[in-house]
Amino acid sequence: QTTGGANLFITGTGRQPLLETLSYPDRRVQYEGALTLGRALPATTFSGAFRVVPLLASAVRTGSRNFALAIVDNEEDRGEVVNALGQAGFEVIGFDASLSPLREEIARSVGVDLVVVWKRTPEGVRETITALNTLPKTSAAPILVMAPVVDAPELTREYRDDRRIKVTRPEFGELFDSAVEEVMMRASGGRITEAEAEIYAIEALAVLRDIALSNSPAYNISDAEPALLAALQTRTGGARLLVASILALIDSEMAQQALFDAALTAGPDEQIELLDQVGASVRKYGDRSAPRHTRALLELVETSSGETADAAARVHGALNLPSSDAVLLIP
């Protein structure tokens, strides 16, 4: 908030630590980096600027969800691992016998919170870990290696100094769950909790609103639109109203219509503020409503009273509807 671009993302050392946070596998680090860069509202663009808004949007949408990969040789064992990960609360974004077929899924993912590796030989484990280390989204992810008794001592000795790798027996239930929690705690501070996710979401929304208001040349607020549209349906209370205030600042027919739909179906505690956001969008970007919105708005005017009727009338005025409709607004 108080520094210039030179201190944020330009250095003479060959390293750009703040920019590196945007691709670091730990989502806490990603979110903190995106929040820092977003709050700074740089006056010029920079390498990696395109990642900031999508990361902030993912903080709003992803919450405390956890994502895992399973790299397991045997198909039957692979099914057991995927099932165990699901029971442990993970969404498995990809599973196969090797890393290569999973590269596309990894690239599309928000991040990878855990990788389970179960190979026939220690050499297979080494090759897989080496390959994981070459991908930005898995290079620091916790790795749980499942190894038979004959191979476990050798692999344990080899990786004992690497906090992000744990070797365990190929068993499920409590042993598997305990090993997962241990390696995640050692490698990345454990899973993002629901409380942490909510804090990140609210902070991200506040920064996205600042970006939308500032028209920063470094960022494109439209990159957050899909996540914000989803959040408008799932969020409640103050967070939902904050989402609506950002959508009102996006030049998009979809955003305005989603706001209109939300306002017309909202409860009494939210309806007035949502109607005001619809009006703000219409005044800023013009009328992009659908016929259903006009009909529902006029019906709301007829059936409501007080502040709700006033808010509906303000939207009617912003829409510049025919004067024949305006008589309905007269009490």
Side-chain angles (χ1 to χ4, degrees), residues 259-266 271 274-275 292-294 296-297 300:
L259 279 173
F260 229 135
D261 289 334
L264 292 169
T265 58
Q271 192 163 49
L274 287 172
L275 284 168
R292 71 178 186 276
H293 297 131
T294 304
L297 178 66
L300 180 64

Side-chain angles (χ1 to χ4, degrees), residues 28 85 91 107 109 127 156 180 193 220 228 299 307 313 330:
R28 288 184 181 88
L85 285 168
E91 297 180 34
S109 70
E127 290 176 356
T156 299
V180 165
T193 65
N220 182 6
L228 292 170
E299 182 179 348
E307 293 184 6
I330 302 174

Side-chain angles (χ1 to χ4, degrees), residues 114-115 117 129 132-133 138 141-145 164-166 183:
L114 177 70
V115 183
V117 175
I129 292 176
L132 289 167
N133 290 340
T138 57
I143 300 172
L144 183 65
V145 176
R164 55 185 279 265
I165 299 174
K166 177 176 175 58
V183 71

